[in-house]
Every structure is written in C-alpha cells, then in structure tokens.
C-alpha cells in the first residue's frame, strides 16, 4: 500500500513510522488511521523495534481531525472511536517494542497514540494534553483508560477534566515520558534506545512485554504465576542457551530470536 500521510524509513532492524500531514499538525483522520493500521499490520518480519514520530518540529500529532469529527452523529462517533482504539490496541500489542518519539504537540488522539506505545521520549518543546472536554467530547482512543494507568487517577482526572496541556518537564515528572531531549537530538536518542534493545534476545523482550501487559489486570498471584510460565519458556529457546554460553565464555552473544 502506498501511503499519503506516512513516511516509512528502515534503519537495519528498526522501522521509523513518521506521521506526515503538516497542514493539520499531523492530526489523525480516518485515512491516516487506516494507513497506520496497514503499516503496523504489515511490518517486515525483520523489524525488531518500531519508532513512531511526527513530521516537523511542531507536532507529534495535534489530535484526531476535528474537521472530520465535527459532523459525526452518535453512530459515526462510535465508529471513529472504534477505529482509532483498534489501531492503537494493535500498536500496543505488537510483539516488538514501540518507542514514541514525541516531537511537539501530543494532544487528544496524539497523546493517546503516544500512550499506546511501550515507551515515550520527547523533545523539550513537547506538550501533552487531553483537551477533548473543551470540544464537548471525551478522550475516545482509550485515553481515559491508559492515562489513568500511566500517571494515576488523580493526575489523569485533572488533565482530562481541565484539558490543561502539560509541558515536557511536567510529563517527565509524572512519568508520562521517560526522557526529554533537544528537538534536534530526539530521533537519534530514540534510535540509540532501539539499538540497545537490538543487542538483547528478541524473544525474551517479547515475553517480558507480554508479562508486563498481562499483569496489568491480574492479581499479584496470577501475575507472578504467569511470569513463571514465561520464564520457563525462555529456557526452551536457543537464545537462552546462547546468551548464557556467551556470558560464561566471555564473548558477545549472537541472538537469532529462536
Ligand atoms: N484537527 C484538525 N485540524 C487541526 C487540528 C486537529 N486536531 N489541530 C490543528 N489543526 C489545524 C488547524 O486548524 C490549522 O489549520 P489552518 O491552517 O487551516 O487554520 C493548522 O492545523 C495549524 O494549527 P493552528 O493554526 O491552530 O496552530 P497553533 O500553533 O496556533 O496552535 C495547537 C497549535 C495548540 C495544537 C492548536 O492547533 C490546537 O489547539 N489544535 C487542536 C488540539 C486539540 O484539541 N486536539 C484534540 C482533538 S480531539 C481528539 O483528539 C479526540 C480523540 C478521540 C477521538 C474519538 C472519536 C470519536
């Protein structure tokens, strides 16, 4: 599929997906959502880390496209919300790590997209917020769920009820992002983080991601039991043999993802 609003770049085992709709600050309309869906559904098997960012230095994604939503009725709103939520869930449940490199405004659906990624880093001009109630709607791409999980209910409620956008330093303080960088170095730092992941066993990372996701809604006992099963499974992998042999032989491991 040719994309009108995405730029896709490969750097060895890393795929960089750049959302590019500069006239509307990369706002997400249904065409862009479908393009993202297609891209993440058809990632090359050799992709081991996905980086998502926005085009330009002003915006990651300034939200869902307000001009498209303005004329929706209840059924249309439900459908649009479902589309975005399904695409973001697909991103969240990819077997590989996904890093959001947030290079400016991440408002509404933009903040929700960043939150569907495993890890968020941002530029020092980034702004995060859920301004939906000012438009007469609520976060509709799973923001009420993920924001509360990420920063706690109190902060999520304040951000959602007031619609107040927060700057990068506050996003860092509340744990919404892991690190803040100069705009010009953001992508390099994302690539550096991805490179560190690439040095490790892919299957082990996938299992770890799976455990963290599963344990979200489980009791402590069930989460610990689930981790134990996945821990055991690691020992059935070639990478476990290789990783431990390499350590004992004082050499670098060569992982194959098997
Ligand atoms: N949708 C459509 N167009 C947008 C959007 C958007 N979200 N954001 C910016 N644009 C457009 C502007 O209309 C403008 O277009 P034009 O040049 O034709 O006038 C262009 O982008 C540039 O924007 P500004 O001139 O406003 O740029 P500023 O630097 O003055 O301001 C802001 C930047 C602060 C980002 C401002 O553009 C803004 O407030 N944008 C809207 C932010 C917002 O409210 N986002 C949340 C949208 S709602 C949402 O995301 C809900 C998600 C769940 C959906 C559930 C579905 C049912």
């Amino acid at each position: 599929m040719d994309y009108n609003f995405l730029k896709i770049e490969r750097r060895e085992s890393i795929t960089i997906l750049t959302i590019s709709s500069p006239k509307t600050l990369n706002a997400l309309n249904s065409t862009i959502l479908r393009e993202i869906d297609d891209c993440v559904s058809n990632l090359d098997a050799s992709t081991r880390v996905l980086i998502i960012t926005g085009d330009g230095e002003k915006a990651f994604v300034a939200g869902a496209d307000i001009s498209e939503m303005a004329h929706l009725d209840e059924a249309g709103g439900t459908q649009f919300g479902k589309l975005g939520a399904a695409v973001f869930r697909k991103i969240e449940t990819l077997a590989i790590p996904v890093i959001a490199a947030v290079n400016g405004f991440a408002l509404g659906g933009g903040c929700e997209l960043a939150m569907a990624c495993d890890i968020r880093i941002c530029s020092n001009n980034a702004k995060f917020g859920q301004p939906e109630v000012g438009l007469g709607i609520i976060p509709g791409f799973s923001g009420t769920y993920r924001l509360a999980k990420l920063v706690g209910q109190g902060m999520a409620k304040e951000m959602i009820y007031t619609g107040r956008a927060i700057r990068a330093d506050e996003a860092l303080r509340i744990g919404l992002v892991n690190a803040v960088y100069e705009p010009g170095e953001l992508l390099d730092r994302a690539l550096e983080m991805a490179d560190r992941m690439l040095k490790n066993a892919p299957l082990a990372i996938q299992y770890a991601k799976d455990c963290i996701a599963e344990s979200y809604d489980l009791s402590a006992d069930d989460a610990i039991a689930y981790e134990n099963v996945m821990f055991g499974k690691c020992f059935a992998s070639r990478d476990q043999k290789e990783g431990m042999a390499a350590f004992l032989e004082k050499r670098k491991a060569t992982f194959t993802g098997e």
Side-chain angles (χ1 to χ4, degrees), residues 15 38 42 58 81 100 108 115 143 164 171 230:
T15 294
D38 185 82
N42 295 292
K58 186 167 176 181
M115 291 192 294
R164 178 173 74 88
M230 300 309 285

Side-chain angles (χ1 to χ4, degrees), residues 85 88 92 108-109 111-113 115-116 129-133 137-161 216:
F88 291 6
E92 187 174 46
C111 188
E112 291 170 301
L113 170 60
M115 291 192 294
Q130 299 290 161
E132 284 90 344
V133 293
I137 59 172
I138 62 170
F141 294 160
S142 319
T144 56
Y145 174 72
R146 291 201 183 95
L147 188 60
K149 291 273 188 189
L150 271 170
V151 304
Q153 288 203 6
M155 186 54 76
K157 285 175 177 174
E158 183 196 325
M159 285 177 67
I160 291 170
Y161 299 172
Y216 237 43

Side-chain angles (χ1 to χ4, degrees), residues 23-25 27 58 62-66 77 80 108-109 112 131-132 135 140-141:
K23 283 187 187 152
T24 55
L25 303 181
K58 186 167 176 181
D65 190 325
I66 297 169
F80 189 53
E112 291 170 301
E132 284 90 344
L135 296 163
F141 294 160

Side-chain angles (χ1 to χ4, degrees), residues 184-196:
E185 60 169 336
L186 178 66
L187 191 59
D188 284 343
R189 295 289 87 80
L191 287 163
E192 222 170 72
M193 186 187 282
D195 275 333
R196 290 183 74 101

